[in-house]
Amino acid sequence: MPKQTSFVAGPQKDTISNAPQVEELLKNLEFHKSIQNINNRINSAESIKEIIVDIKENIRKLFNIDVLIIYVLDKKKKEIYSLHTEDSEIKEKLLQVNNSSIVGYVANNKKMILINDAYDERELKRINEQLKFDRTSDRHLGILTGQVLAIPIIYERNIMGVLEVMIQKGGEKIEDYRQIFLDEIGSVLGIAFYNQ
C-alpha cells in the first residue's frame, strides 16, 4: 500500500503580496503588445499619409503625449514635411533641413535631442546658436510646450524623417523607457518610409 502524504498549503500572504507585481507585469505586457500592433500597422500601411496622419494618433495615445508630429524628408527639395488634419482637411507643414528649428536641426545632424524647456533660449543656444522654438504651433493648439524630444528617423544611415514629441509645461516628463520605445518605433518608421 502506497504511503500517503498530506499537502499543506503555505500562507496566502505570498499570493496577495505579489498581486501588484503581477498587475504591473500585465500592464507592461499589454504595453508591449500595443507597440507591436503599432509596428505591424506601420509595416502594412499603404501610404506615408496613412502613417503620419492616422497611425500617429495611436502612438500619441499609447505614450500619453500631448503633441506628436511625424515628419518625412523630401530629399529633392531638402525640406521636411508633415501632414495633419485641421477642420476635416489635410494640411501640410514644411520646414527647412537646417539648424534654425528643432526638427530641422535633428534632420540636419541625424541626432536625437531632448529639450527640457522649449522656451528657454539659453538651453536652445547650448545645442546650437541658430536653434529656435517655433511658438506658432503652441498658439494654434492653445498649449504651452515644456519638454520636446525629437528623434531622427533613419534607415541605413540615411535620414528619412523626424519624430517630434511635445509635452505641456508642468506635464509628465518623458522617461527613459518611453524614449527607448519611441526610438524603436522610429526605426520601424525608417524602414517603412524607405519602402514607400
Side-chain angles (χ1 to χ4, degrees), residues 78-120:
K78 202 154 178 7
E79 290 177 329
I80 198 155
Y81 72 92
S82 183
L83 303 172
H84 64 277
T85 309
E86 188 180 304
D87 302 325
S88 304
E89 277 183 56
I90 300 290
K91 303 260 176 142
E92 187 178 66
K93 181 179 181 179
L94 286 171
L95 293 168
Q96 294 298 310
V97 177
N98 60 33
N99 294 337
S100 64
S101 71
I102 293 169
V103 171
Y105 174 87
V106 170
N108 199 28
N109 296 282
K110 297 182 189 175
K111 63 181 187 182
M112 180 191 90
I113 57 172
L114 175 64
I115 297 162
N116 288 309
D117 183 357
Y119 283 80
D120 183 348

Side-chain angles (χ1 to χ4, degrees), residues 6-138:
S6 59
F7 174 77
V8 179
Q12 294 298 310
K13 280 183 184 176
D14 287 346
T15 311
I16 293 167
S17 69
N18 287 336
Q21 292 166 331
V22 170
E23 195 175 306
E24 188 66 28
L25 198 63
L26 290 172
K27 268 203 273 190
N28 287 339
L29 185 62
E30 194 61 39
F31 183 75
H32 286 281
K33 278 171 64 181
S34 297
I35 288 174
Q36 192 57 52
N37 288 340
I38 286 169
N39 288 343
N40 291 340
R41 281 194 64 204
I42 291 168
N43 287 326
S44 63
E46 293 181 16
S47 68
I48 287 178
K49 179 182 161 254
E50 182 183 345
I51 295 169
I52 63 178
V53 174
D54 301 332
I55 298 172
K56 169 195 82 171
E57 198 53 28
N58 295 102
I59 300 168
R60 189 190 70 73
K61 286 178 182 170
L62 177 64
F63 286 91
N64 195 25
I65 295 167
D66 297 315
V67 179
L68 174 77
I69 304 171
I70 300 172
Y71 292 88
V72 182
L73 181 71
D74 183 333
K75 286 181 184 170
K76 289 177 191 161
K77 296 180 183 172
K78 202 154 178 7
E79 290 177 329
I80 198 155
Y81 72 92
S82 183
L83 303 172
H84 64 277
T85 309
E86 188 180 304
D87 302 325
S88 304
E89 277 183 56
I90 300 290
K91 303 260 176 142
E92 187 178 66
K93 181 179 181 179
L94 286 171
L95 293 168
Q96 294 298 310
V97 177
N98 60 33
N99 294 337
S100 64
S101 71
I102 293 169
V103 171
Y105 174 87
V106 170
N108 199 28
N109 296 282
K110 297 182 189 175
K111 63 181 187 182
M112 180 191 90
I113 57 172
L114 175 64
I115 297 162
N116 288 309
D117 183 357
Y119 283 80
D120 183 348
E121 290 185 18
R122 284 180 298 184
E123 183 179 1
L124 297 174
K125 299 287 181 218
R126 277 194 298 269
I127 296 167
N128 186 281
E129 200 56 41
Q130 300 171 327
L131 196 61
K132 288 182 175 65
F133 174 66
D134 179 11
R135 299 172 186 205
T136 54
S137 58
D138 275 12

